[in-house]
Amino acid sequence: MCSGAGGFDVELTQRLKPKKYKCRSCGATFESVSKHPVCPTCQSESVDEVC
């Protein structure tokens, strides 16, 4: 029998720190945890990580 009372793995969420990116196509800035981020505004894959 399954139990749905378990909580989230807090350690997992602490390791997923988003990085900031800027889109080369439209200039939008956004955060992502993906290894291959895509601009949420124009769907471009041409993005640069912002320090």
Side-chain angles (χ1 to χ4, degrees):
M1 179 174 222
C2 295
S3 172
F8 288 100
D9 185 348
V10 175
E11 183 178 327
L12 176 63
T13 59
Q14 290 175 346
R15 288 189 285 162
L16 293 176
K17 292 183 179 180
K19 293 180 181 176
K20 293 182 180 181
Y21 294 93
K22 183 173 183 176
C23 178
R24 289 187 208 160
S25 298
C26 72
T29 56
F30 60 97
E31 294 183 343
S32 176
V33 294
S34 174
K35 289 183 179 179
H36 305 287
V38 176
C39 176
T41 302
C42 70
Q43 313 308 315
S44 174
E45 295 178 359
S46 181
V47 299
D48 292 321
E49 186 175 340
V50 178
C51 297

